[in-house]
Amino acid sequence: MTFVFPRESLRAFPPSLHPDYKSTVKRAPKRPLVVTPHTLSELTGPVYGHDNIRRGDEDLTKQHTGEPLGERIVVHGRVLDEDGRGVPDTLVEIWQANACGRYIHKRDQHSAPLDPNFTGAGRTATDAEGRYKFVTVKPGAYPWGNHPNAWRPAHIHFSLFGHSFLSRLVTQMYFPGDPLMAYDPIFNSVGDEKARARMVSRFDLATTEPDWALAYEFDIVLRGRNQTPAQS
Ligand SMILES: [Fe+2]
């Protein structure tokens, strides 16, 4: 069995070394990568997670006794292959800072407050049309020390698992109109302007819920022309 990702889609990926994003200087590989051939076990082996999604995992505002502070939002979209077809049964996981820009993580020492009603992690699987939906609060910007007074634009981290471990994609979703994007070396490590635009969600008035939540739409396109064979 052969399995080849279309090389043209790799152009959208940021380089491993992007000096403006300082930590890449230390971690970028200094030697050419070794290409290992994919075999049946990588392509068809079991992946974890799909069976363990619990009802409510997709609603980050209902994981504690009270509701979190912040601007309640619906984040939804489709996971699509390269030809625009929805990809079902994709495990979609998100993690994010709270509305004040603080993560629950021992290395996050930002002076903004933690929210006892917000953990900031959720998961779901796409439906038959590749759709997913989360309810959460809009994350705040946070400082990160990369350069003088560097603040990350508001963002939500996404991880997607398809039908095999090799079909994983990790990315970040941004919010339209955020002035911090222009100054963010992580966002701008993606060199292609159109590719950067694909990381920015769309304000979706039609999906907002009156007196309850705003909404953003974020479609994710996988490198999909040669999909992992799926079980029928
Ligand atoms: Fe982050």
Side-chain angles (χ1 to χ4, degrees):
M1 178 186 294
T2 57
F3 187 79
V4 179
F5 287 121
R7 282 193 174 273
E8 62 269 23
S9 65
L10 295 176
R11 283 205 295 268
F13 290 1
S16 54
L17 175 62
H18 185 69
D20 286 349
Y21 178 7
K22 285 186 178 169
S23 59
T24 68
V25 175
K26 286 185 177 175
R27 70 179 184 225
K30 291 190 169 49
R31 297 183 187 182
L33 299 181
V34 176
V35 178
T36 55
H38 301 162
T39 64
L40 201 63
S41 60
E42 284 89 33
L43 300 173
T44 63
V47 295
Y48 60 83
H50 294 66
D51 295 337
N52 297 324
I53 296 171
R54 294 165 302 192
R55 215 170 141 197
D57 280 355
E58 79 293 346
D59 190 339
L60 286 70
T61 69
K62 296 220 163 52
Q63 297 175 345
H64 298 273
T65 51
E67 292 210 62
L69 295 173
E71 181 183 325
R72 194 184 294 114
I73 58 173
V74 172
V75 176
H76 75 106
R78 294 181 75 200
V79 177
L80 302 166
D81 74 11
E82 197 170 64
D83 299 315
R85 297 173 299 199
V87 182
D89 300 322
T90 300
L91 175 67
V92 183
E93 298 172 292
I94 62 170
W95 62 99
Q96 64 167 95
N98 69 23
C100 299
R102 179 86 187 265
Y103 287 100
I104 297 181
H105 192 283
K106 61 185 176 188
R107 288 188 62 187
D108 187 343
Q109 297 301 316
H110 178 27
S111 60
L114 289 169
D115 185 337
N117 291 312
F118 192 72
T119 301
R123 60 197 329 228
T124 189
T126 56
D127 68 10
E129 277 83 46
R131 296 182 194 285
Y132 73 88
K133 179 181 174 183
F134 291 100
V135 178
T136 184
V137 294
K138 188 173 180 183
Y142 58 80
W144 63 303
N146 183 77
H147 53 274
N149 204 19
W151 288 69
R152 296 294 331 277
H155 61 277
I156 297 177
H157 297 266
F158 274 71
S159 165
L160 280 71
F161 267 115
H163 293 282
S164 79
F165 271 119
L166 290 180
S167 54
R168 190 182 185 207
L169 181 146
V170 177
T171 190
Q172 298 182 28
M173 182 200 101
Y174 297 85
F175 292 85
D178 189 333
L180 291 171
M181 284 189 286
Y183 304 97
D184 184 50
I186 294 180
F187 178 73
N188 290 294
S189 67
V190 175
D192 181 75
E193 186 178 355
K194 288 181 180 171
R196 284 198 299 276
R198 292 199 293 270
M199 298 189 290
V200 182
S201 59
R202 181 183 75 84
F203 176 65
D204 181 11
L205 185 65
T207 305
T208 59
E209 301 200 20
D211 303 324
W212 191 76
L214 295 177
Y216 293 87
E217 183 179 31
F218 183 54
D219 287 345
I220 300 158
V221 181
L222 305 173
R223 296 180 293 178
R225 187 170 291 158
N226 297 304
Q227 272 185 282
T228 303
Q231 287 182 301
S232 59

